[in-house]
Amino acid sequence: RELRQGCRGRLRDAAPVARRGHARATWPALVPVLRLDHVLASSDLEVDWVGVPSGLARVASDHRPVVAEIVVP
């Protein structure tokens, strides 16, 4: 809760503003039904792509990873 309050207004969820890709469910890893994991980025950075890999990532954790390509001006 403290982290969320400290970041409010400075960071945003990268998925909705990404030029490519989309957010998907990340938990549980084998058959995801909830989007619990996010990449946060400040508004002065451009988010080029966001994705949720599958494959071996499904067995490494109970959450799937979220990956983002961010352009630094």
Side-chain angles (χ1 to χ4, degrees), residues 7-64:
C7 294
R8 187 172 292 151
R10 291 184 286 160
L11 299 178
R12 62 188 174 163
D13 182 3
V17 297
R19 290 191 300 175
R20 300 179 295 129
H22 61 279
R24 295 191 334 216
T26 59
W27 183 89
L30 290 179
V31 183
V33 294
L34 296 174
R35 182 175 174 245
L36 297 181
D37 305 284
H38 302 77
V39 170
L40 301 177
S42 65
S43 59
D44 59 338
L45 298 176
E46 182 180 330
V47 182
D48 186 51
W49 177 82
V50 172
V52 178
S54 57
L56 290 178
R58 295 183 315 188
V59 296
S61 172
D62 62 334
H63 292 250
R64 289 194 183 183

